[in-house]
Amino acid sequence: MRWVTVEGVNGVGKSHLIAQVPDVVRLAELPDCAADPLTERLMAALGGDRFLRTGFPLAETFTLLGLAARRFELARRAYGDSAVTILEDRGVDTIAIYQAAILSNGDDDRALELALRLRAMAAQWRPPPDRTVLVVDDDQTCLARWNAREGRSPTPSERSLMRQASRLYQRLLQHYTIIDRRELNEQQAVQALLNACQEHS
């Protein structure tokens, strides 16, 4: 089993690219994932807003990390040592970055330190992906996609959180294989993602 996680800020178009990659098992984002009844119930309990903020950020963080570990356990049970490629839409890094941003109250340095600690903690519960791909695009294009998908503009709070997440991803570039949609057309971006699924780490 080979595991590839795709990361990126809201509106970057990663889910659209993932949908076009052939011959993989796709795992949707946790909020959209109906993997099993337990996951469904816990995600429903976190359904406070688009970013799963219920007002209890520590409980939210550990719930999401636990669900990420459960996701891996379910996939390992289903696919074991087979040659299948798992293509995960958002993984541990999303949890680490967005929850660190929520917990840091806008302090990027504190958020980066916390995100790294959360990544390391998660690695004790499930192995890191064989490859993590970061999809990037310009901010205005991402915002336009968000508006089209959600049918509204982000609130000031959501916009602030997305901007901080984008800054944190930029500070962690060394951890990622980059697909820059500013330099690639859609077909090229899909091919780059397919290559990331097929290349050895």
Side-chain angles (χ1 to χ4, degrees), residues 97-174:
I97 285 172
Y98 278 84
Q99 293 305 116
I102 291 167
L103 288 162
S104 69
N105 296 316
D107 184 332
D108 280 7
D109 290 334
R110 181 174 173 229
L112 179 61
E113 178 184 0
L114 182 54
L116 290 170
R117 288 170 57 192
L118 289 172
R119 288 175 93 247
M121 181 185 301
Q124 299 177 58
W125 299 335
R126 66 172 246 187
D130 296 293
R131 188 175 300 275
T132 302
V133 176
L134 178 66
V135 182
V136 298
D137 207 338
D138 71 83
D139 291 344
Q140 289 306 308
T141 300
C142 292
L143 181 59
R145 291 195 192 102
W146 161 282
N147 292 344
R149 184 185 68 214
E150 301 290 331
R152 63 176 178 85
S153 298
T155 66
S157 173
E158 291 170 334
R159 189 74 180 272
S160 176
L161 180 58
M162 289 188 287
R163 285 173 172 162
Q164 188 173 17
S166 179
R167 295 194 300 270
L168 291 173
Y169 277 122
Q170 289 297 313
R171 294 181 69 173
L172 292 167
L173 288 180
Q174 71 272 21

Side-chain angles (χ1 to χ4, degrees), residues 1-199:
M1 185 175 73
R2 177 172 170 74
W3 196 288
V4 178
T5 297
V6 185
E7 293 284 350
V9 298
N10 300 80
V12 78
K14 58 187 174 41
S15 301
H16 179 70
L17 298 178
I18 287 170
Q20 300 179 68
V21 177
D23 303 323
V24 296
V25 174
R26 300 176 189 87
L27 299 182
E29 293 185 47
L30 277 173
D32 303 320
C33 185
D36 67 288
L38 175 61
T39 300
E40 288 182 2
R41 290 197 297 271
L42 288 173
M43 292 310 302
L46 292 177
D49 71 357
R50 187 66 182 84
F51 295 96
L52 309 177
R53 294 173 295 184
T54 64
F56 300 93
L58 288 176
E60 296 155 13
T61 299
F62 285 104
T63 299
L64 290 167
L65 288 175
L67 288 174
R70 179 171 176 79
R71 162 178 273 190
F72 177 82
E73 290 175 342
L74 290 171
R76 182 171 56 186
R77 183 183 303 170
Y79 301 106
D81 296 325
S82 70
V84 69
T85 295
I86 306 292
L87 189 54
E88 179 184 36
D89 189 345
R90 296 198 181 279
V92 166
D93 278 33
T94 286
I95 299 167
I97 285 172
Y98 278 84
Q99 293 305 116
I102 291 167
L103 288 162
S104 69
N105 296 316
D107 184 332
D108 280 7
D109 290 334
R110 181 174 173 229
L112 179 61
E113 178 184 0
L114 182 54
L116 290 170
R117 288 170 57 192
L118 289 172
R119 288 175 93 247
M121 181 185 301
Q124 299 177 58
W125 299 335
R126 66 172 246 187
D130 296 293
R131 188 175 300 275
T132 302
V133 176
L134 178 66
V135 182
V136 298
D137 207 338
D138 71 83
D139 291 344
Q140 289 306 308
T141 300
C142 292
L143 181 59
R145 291 195 192 102
W146 161 282
N147 292 344
R149 184 185 68 214
E150 301 290 331
R152 63 176 178 85
S153 298
T155 66
S157 173
E158 291 170 334
R159 189 74 180 272
S160 176
L161 180 58
M162 289 188 287
R163 285 173 172 162
Q164 188 173 17
S166 179
R167 295 194 300 270
L168 291 173
Y169 277 122
Q170 289 297 313
R171 294 181 69 173
L172 292 167
L173 288 180
Q174 71 272 21
H175 297 283
Y176 306 127
T177 297
I178 308 300
I179 294 179
D180 192 336
R181 300 195 68 184
R182 296 166 297 189
E183 300 174 354
L184 303 173
N185 63 33
E186 184 170 305
Q187 183 178 359
Q188 291 169 328
V190 171
Q191 184 61 51
L193 184 51
L194 177 60
N195 292 345
C197 290
Q198 295 173 339
E199 291 168 358

